[in-house]
Amino acid sequence: MRAVIVDCAIYRDGRRSEGPSDFSDALDEARATGDAFLWIGLHEPTEEEFDHVADEFSLHPLAVEDALKAHQRPKLEVYDDSLFVVLKPVVYEPKSDSVTTGELMVFIGDSFVVTVRHGEGAPLHAVRERLEAEPAVLRHGPTAVLYAISDAIVDHYIDVAAELQVDLEEMETEVFEPARRDAKNTAARIYTFKRQVLEFRRAAGPLAAPMARLAGAGVPFVHEHAQPFFRDVSDHLTRANEQVEGLDRLLSDILSAHLAQMGVRQNDDMRKISAWAAMAAVPTMVAGIYGMNFTHMWELRQVWAYPAVLVLMAGAVYGLFRLFKRRGWL
């Protein structure tokens, strides 16, 4: 268990205090005092490792199954002895311009908070340090922990959306750059970017309902005075979702514009090919006529016939060239 326990501490009156090394005794001690709670953090525990925690904290089997298997949508579940919340933190990688998501499960109950982290990107360490520096907030117990975690994750959504907006503007400039010809690579980048935005939407979009529910009344294990704070988180989440939806719409518009540009370029290429083919067809036709070896062609015996035919072909080709040039085909 020591390998998966990231941190375990008792908080009394908003301040961290030393407690028993065994979290079972620590939970009993926190409940005995009445003004304390235990916060234990786990990282990717196995089923055997988490069974002991689930038994001690009386966690619901369905919630335990979700916490172990991960790959869950953001949600809020209320059970008899605990509140179960699934959050999906988002991480932006500047070097690869990619978005990755992790998973964070939060159990809240009588004098305890259990967090289970899968993957990277969960700001638990920073949240714990910030809360420990603000005893007035941490004094509100497990509700303060849930609020601080949700607030940190949603605020990071806004930061990631801003980074994606910068990347989108760069891509938009590249798509509409007149001299750019690597259309295949551009289309691949747009599809890749759209997949990143979709990954973001899967993390942020479903979280709206749980945040709205926490902002309302009647949620067990959540302090009633915390509703305004969760409404603030919900407002920030709405802004992040609007930004993501805007990115998705702009990407669709950029893709449509890019495909339209490709169609226009293909039409231009076809016009050029047709123009050159027409100019090549004139001398080919004339040469084909004279290559049929007819006997009764009076000009064949004239000295001027051969140069005259060459001049005729050159003049016809030049005339077609001027015509196509004037119409913008060449």
Side-chain angles (χ1 to χ4, degrees):
M1 284 298 297
R2 288 294 178 183
V4 299
I5 296 178
V6 179
D7 200 348
C8 179
I10 295 178
Y11 295 90
R12 292 187 178 89
D13 196 28
R15 299 187 181 278
R16 181 172 182 140
S17 63
E18 297 296 331
S21 57
D22 184 78
F23 64 83
S24 301
D25 297 334
L27 178 61
D28 294 336
E29 181 178 330
R31 286 174 172 172
T33 58
D35 62 345
F37 71 94
L38 173 67
W39 182 0
I40 178 173
L42 306 174
H43 179 240
E44 297 183 356
T46 63
E47 184 175 355
E48 293 76 15
E49 292 168 337
F50 199 56
D51 280 344
H52 184 44
V53 177
D55 292 339
E56 290 295 333
F57 292 91
S58 300
L59 303 180
H60 196 277
L62 293 178
V64 171
E65 182 181 358
D66 290 342
L68 288 173
K69 292 185 177 179
H71 302 292
Q72 304 295 318
R73 286 167 54 90
K75 63 180 180 178
L76 169 65
E77 299 287 350
V78 178
Y79 298 102
D80 294 335
D81 298 320
S82 63
L83 183 71
F84 178 60
V85 182
V86 178
L87 303 165
K88 293 182 76 70
V90 174
V91 178
Y92 175 79
E93 297 292 342
K95 294 183 179 179
S96 59
D97 294 335
S98 62
V99 172
T100 57
T101 58
E103 290 194 45
L104 179 61
M105 288 74 172
V106 182
F107 294 88
I108 290 181
D110 180 17
S111 301
F112 72 84
V113 178
V114 177
T115 55
V116 182
R117 176 168 61 89
H118 292 269
E120 303 299 329
L124 288 180
H125 181 69
V127 169
R128 190 184 287 261
E129 286 186 342
R130 180 161 63 88
L131 285 174
E132 290 177 356
E134 300 177 356
V137 177
L138 196 56
R139 193 175 291 119
H140 291 87
T143 302
V145 176
L146 178 59
Y147 159 72
I149 293 174
S150 304
D151 185 59
I153 290 176
V154 171
D155 284 347
H156 194 60
Y157 285 169
I158 297 176
D159 295 336
V160 172
E163 295 286 349
L164 292 177
Q165 180 66 40
V166 174
D167 292 343
L168 180 62
E169 291 174 358
E170 294 177 356
M171 179 177 295
E172 188 175 13
T173 302
E174 293 179 2
V175 168
F176 293 103
E177 185 178 353
R180 190 170 182 83
R181 303 294 294 180
D182 53 341
K184 183 177 180 181
N185 183 53
T186 301
R189 285 194 59 194
I190 294 175
Y191 276 113
T192 301
F193 201 118
K194 200 168 181 63
R195 182 173 290 276
Q196 303 297 329
V197 173
L198 177 61
E199 187 74 14
F200 196 162
R201 293 188 67 177
R202 288 175 177 171
L207 187 58
M211 286 297 107
R213 189 175 176 186
L214 288 171
V219 180
F221 308 106
V222 176
H223 199 283
E224 59 180 4
H225 297 299
Q227 295 174 18
F229 298 95
F230 282 110
R231 280 199 296 268
D232 181 68
V233 176
S234 181
D235 290 341
H236 290 179
L237 179 62
T238 299
R239 188 173 70 178
N241 282 326
E242 289 175 351
Q243 287 180 295
V244 175
E245 290 175 3
L247 290 173
D248 190 55
R249 287 195 299 268
L250 283 174
L251 275 172
S252 299
D253 293 341
I254 290 174
L255 180 59
S256 298
H258 174 66
L259 295 177
Q261 282 184 333
M262 291 181 60
V264 170
R265 289 172 183 172
Q266 288 177 350
N267 290 336
D268 290 339
D269 294 339
M270 288 302 299
R271 284 201 301 264
K272 291 179 181 180
I273 293 172
S274 300
W276 287 110
M279 288 187 291
V282 171
T284 302
M285 180 186 66
V286 175
I289 292 174
Y290 280 91
M292 288 188 292
N293 299 319
F294 287 111
T295 301
H296 301 290
M297 298 180 70
W298 65 272
E299 72 275 13
L300 293 179
R301 299 184 183 277
Q302 303 296 327
V303 177
W304 51 264
Y306 184 72
V309 171
L310 292 179
V311 171
L312 176 64
M313 289 190 293
V317 170
Y318 180 72
L320 289 174
F321 177 80
R322 290 293 300 273
L323 177 63
F324 292 139
K325 191 73 173 178
R326 186 167 57 251
R327 295 187 176 182
W329 286 33
L330 292 174

